[in-house]
Amino acid sequence: MTDLPARRLLLVHAHPDDESINNGVTMARYAAEGAHVTLVTCTLGERGEVIPPELAHLSGAALGGHRRQELAAAMRALGVDDFRLLGGPGRFADSGMMGLPDNDDPGCLWQADVDRAAGLLVEVIREVRPQVLVTYDPDGGYGHPDHIQAHRIAMRAAELAAEAGCPVAKVYWNRVPRSVAEDAFARLGEELPGLPFEKAAGVGDVPGVVDDEVITTEIRGEGFTHAAKAAAMRAHATQITVDEPYFVLSNELAQPLFTTEYYELVRGERGPGDGRETDLFAGIGTGEVS
């Protein structure tokens, strides 16, 4: 790939929809600003639970194919052109929830050799040479095997890429500050009687919630980026029902749609100034943006 923009962002996710929920504002912002945004999704989410009754017949490969179309629609909403499946379509299957027999499928992501899978991601890193990589924390945010494995693959790929002379300047994990989550759920509790959802989730149901001091960076949803995130989430109709500023997954428990997205910088130099960064590329020198 030639003539890439000066700023390049890579995001690594487990299934279609994870990117829009976690990083929709961030992706829309940087795409609009002219950065090259690359999304690598590790599986097609073939074992996801389908919400709409009219799509309930979808399962396995058929569901995976449909979710791939949903992903394409979500990327259009975010303005992202470069989105890929790790190793190509069907290379790694959805592993299902932790502890289920699906985890033992030899073709699922949970059973993948991390170094081999990371090698596939290194190929992407060598091509687009991102300065910033975003992925999950070691628990995958909430313990899903595919999220955990995506974390392992992304972090190992960053190591291997550095050894190959293609270092990634900054690595971030998706986070949510506890105070923000608590305030949002307090509002949800007050507004729930007027919503089309019967029950609310809780702070413990939100992936990646940490104490506020862990947060290093926040990306605010301003202008159209807020609307772009909601549109991208709506595109994943098999998995998400949106009624702004809330949404539900297949568990039918309402939770907040966060229009500011938060991160923990785990590798690389923090940008200058006090307080939280407001730019994932903060502090990256001109020599690293090339």
Side-chain angles (χ1 to χ4, degrees), residues 37-57:
V37 179
T38 301
L39 169 67
V40 174
T41 305
C42 295
T43 81
L44 284 171
E46 305 92 332
R47 292 188 166 103
E49 297 181 6
V50 177
I51 295 175
E54 65 271 19
L55 298 175
H57 63 282

Side-chain angles (χ1 to χ4, degrees), residues 1 9 13-14 16 28 38 88 119 121 132 136 156 159 166-167 184 222 231 258 266 273 275 278 280 290:
M1 185 175 291
L9 169 63
H13 276 289
T38 301
L121 186 58
V132 177
Y136 312 105
R156 181 59 176 149
E159 294 175 352
C166 297
E222 299 172 343
F258 294 110
V266 295
T278 56
L280 297 180
S290 61

Side-chain angles (χ1 to χ4, degrees), residues 194-207:
L195 298 176
F197 312 127
E198 294 184 1
K199 297 180 180 179
V203 172
D205 296 306
V206 176

Side-chain angles (χ1 to χ4, degrees), residues 177-190 203 246 256 258:
R178 192 172 307 280
S179 67
V180 169
E182 290 174 347
D183 289 347
F185 275 100
R187 290 192 298 274
L188 171 57
E190 296 172 355
V203 172
Y246 304 107
F258 294 110

